[in-house]
């Protein structure tokens, strides 16, 4: 890695150096939605009757007895629909992110270390939106994506990147951490899944690591500059945004629930009430809790709020710590 100042060679890298490393990694390892996925390969054709669309055990719905008791063709239908819908929500989220990154970068000063990295990230996210939309197209599923509230707010959310960039980048983590967490656990579980979906997830996980890394770096670096007022507002806004966006990504919208035919009681159990779903939610944000503590955004009222929202728990000691079975 090129260092900007010799005096830093033996010390921990500076913020600028870390961002440069991320940018250089984006140059050397990146994926193109149409070059790096053999869409027309016979192996990658989406067959809506393929039993490999059955949701894996690591999926909250996939392991629920209601789903398991369905006839195979119904499990396959719901499985394909769910994968397509999660993908659609992911790409809508990325569209908001790209728009926000452009708003944020628009008036950065010359020489800003964030400018280059944000534009690399936007390039990668644009490829992700193409890759995700292509999958949705080929799935043949008419999926709605996010909830009506999320869709209605989508044009307004990128403005936050301009007005309150610090809050915006927490929002970015609120979207990226759950998708990344879910995709990594599916890949780690190694269950059989259609190779097209596996390829898409592998590409996504590889690039998201950098995006999540940047958001963490940015937020930790800027924390000292927050006023007491900003800190007070953010300490309560962050857990609310985290929980809201996690729900958008994890829980199917009303229309998606109807299309899949999931009874309300099952929805409640799978995503809200069961001990597994509660643990899952708490584990999801271990890294963010660590960051929030480091940034001085955890105080008495906010700790109460994190608990009330069901996303409290031990903070990770370092990023991407695999959640302990006992947590
Ligand atoms: Fe992405
Ligand atoms: Fe990302």
């Amino acid at each position: 890695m090129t260092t900007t100042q010799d005096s830093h060679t033996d010390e921990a890298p500076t913020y600028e150096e870390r961002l440069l490393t991320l940018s250089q990694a984006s140059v050397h390892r990146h994926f193109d939605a149409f070059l790096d996925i053999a869409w027309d390969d016979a192996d990658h054709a989406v067959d809506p009757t393929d039993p490999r669309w059955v949701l894996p055990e690591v999926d909250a719905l996939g392991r629920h007895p209601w789903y398991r008791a369905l006839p195979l063709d119904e499990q396959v239908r719901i499985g394909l629909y769910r994968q397509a819908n999660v993908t659609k929500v992911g790409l809508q989220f990325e569209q908001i992110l790209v728009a926000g990154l452009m708003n944020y970068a628009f008036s950065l000063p010359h020489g800003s270390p964030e400018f280059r990295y944000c534009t690399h990230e936007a390039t990668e996210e644009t490829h992700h939106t193409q890759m995700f939309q292509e999958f949705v197209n080929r799935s043949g599923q008419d999926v709605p994506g996010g909830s009506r509230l999320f869709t209605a707010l989508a044009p307004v959310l990128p403005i936050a990147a301009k007005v309150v960039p610090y809050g915006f980048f927490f929002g970015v983590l609120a979207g990226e951490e759950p998708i990344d967490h879910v995709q990594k656990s599916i890949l780690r579980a190694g269950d059989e899944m259609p190779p097209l979906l596996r390829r898409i997830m592998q590409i996504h996980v590889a690039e998201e690591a950098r995006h999540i890394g940047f958001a963490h770096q940015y937020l930790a670096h800027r924390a000292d500059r927050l006023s007491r007022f900003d800190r007070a507002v953010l300490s309560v806004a962050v857990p609310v945004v985290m929980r809201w966006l996690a729900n958008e990504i994890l829980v199917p919208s009303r229309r998606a629930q109807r299309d899949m035919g999931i009874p309300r009681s099952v929805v409640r159990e799978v995503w809200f009430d069961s001990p597994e779903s509660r643990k899952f939610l708490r584990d999801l944000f271990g890294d963010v809790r660590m960051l929030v503590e480091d940034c001085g955004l955890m105080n008495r009222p906010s700790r109460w709020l994190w608990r009330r929202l069901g996303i409290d728990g031990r903070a990770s000691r370092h990023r991407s710590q695999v959640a302990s079975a006992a947590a």
Side-chain angles (χ1 to χ4, degrees):
M1 187 192 74
T2 323
T3 50
T4 46
Q5 285 178 12
D6 288 340
S7 59
H8 287 123
T9 313
D10 298 329
E11 294 167 17
T14 63
Y15 173 68
E16 288 75 13
E17 287 166 349
R18 287 174 204 262
L19 263 50
L20 182 61
T21 304
L22 287 172
S23 293
Q24 288 170 336
S26 287
V27 173
H28 297 299
R29 189 161 186 253
H30 59 256
F31 299 89
D32 181 291
F34 295 100
L35 282 178
D36 293 306
I37 299 177
W39 294 101
D40 294 325
D41 207 291
D43 258 15
H44 285 173
V46 177
D47 170 6
T49 62
D50 186 345
R52 291 175 300 181
W53 290 115
V54 170
L55 293 169
E57 286 274 336
V58 288
D59 182 87
L61 180 61
R63 64 174 167 267
H64 192 275
W66 172 82
Y67 179 78
R68 291 270 148 209
L70 292 171
L72 180 64
D73 60 342
E74 196 52 8
Q75 289 190 30
V76 169
R77 179 189 75 83
I78 293 175
L80 176 57
Y81 182 101
R82 172 147 169 82
Q83 297 291 11
N85 196 52
V86 168
T87 305
K88 183 71 189 180
V89 184
L91 89 87
Q92 289 173 330
F93 180 85
E94 290 176 330
Q95 287 176 306
I96 295 169
L97 173 53
V98 173
L101 287 170
M102 291 301 115
N103 278 342
Y104 170 66
F106 193 87
S107 38
L108 286 176
H110 301 311
S112 148
E114 288 92 1
F115 181 90
R116 177 171 166 189
Y117 186 72
C118 281
T119 47
H120 279 306
E121 182 167 323
T123 308
E124 290 165 8
E125 292 297 18
T126 305
H127 279 286
H128 297 173
T129 62
Q130 292 182 322
M131 164 171 93
F132 284 172
Q133 185 61 58
E134 188 65 18
F135 172 70
V136 173
N137 296 347
R138 285 170 186 254
S139 77
Q141 305 298 304
D142 181 22
V143 288
S147 70
R148 283 162 78 161
L149 175 69
F150 181 72
T151 319
L153 289 177
V156 190
L157 292 174
I159 298 169
K162 179 89 189 165
V163 188
V164 279
Y166 200 85
F168 179 80
F169 281 104
F170 262 113
V172 171
L173 281 181
E176 289 188 328
E177 295 269 8
I179 294 182
D180 190 59
H181 189 96
V182 168
Q183 292 185 333
K184 276 201 288 213
S185 44
I186 292 177
L187 290 173
R188 214 181 283 131
D191 290 334
E192 206 188 356
M193 70 169 127
L196 177 62
L197 191 62
R198 177 177 295 277
R199 178 73 182 137
I200 289 172
M201 285 191 188
Q202 282 166 340
I203 290 178
H204 200 245
V205 162
E207 295 196 320
E208 284 310 294
R210 292 196 288 262
H211 305 171
I212 293 173
F214 169 67
H216 276 260
Q217 292 294 332
Y218 172 88
L219 293 166
H221 181 70
R222 302 267 153 174
D224 290 350
R225 300 182 206 178
L226 295 173
S227 66
R228 283 181 68 144
F229 176 76
D230 289 344
R231 220 174 273 276
V233 173
L234 282 162
S235 69
V236 290
V238 166
V240 175
V241 170
M242 287 290 153
R243 179 64 211 251
W244 171 46
L245 289 177
N247 270 11
E248 286 295 341
I249 283 160
L250 301 169
V251 186
S253 66
R254 286 290 170 90
R255 203 197 109 188
Q257 291 171 22
R258 267 201 312 274
D259 288 351
M260 288 188 276
I262 314 175
R264 301 281 307 154
S265 59
V266 174
V267 169
R268 268 199 305 278
E269 217 178 298
V270 170
W271 287 287
F272 298 98
D273 294 344
S274 73
E276 286 107 345
S277 73
R278 286 165 189 246
K279 176 181 169 355
F280 173 81
L281 209 55
R282 288 197 306 271
D283 287 350
L284 207 54
F285 288 119
D287 287 1
V288 178
R289 286 192 296 269
M290 176 184 71
L291 180 69
V292 163
E293 301 263 7
D294 290 350
C295 296
L297 298 175
M298 196 63 98
N299 48 41
R300 231 197 236 191
S302 70
R303 208 175 290 282
W304 176 84
L305 202 51
W306 279 85
R307 198 174 327 120
R308 272 309 302 260
L309 293 167
I311 48 178
D312 60 323
R314 222 180 293 149
S316 304
R317 280 189 298 279
H318 49 82
R319 274 209 303 121
S320 293
Q321 176 179 296
V322 178
S324 79

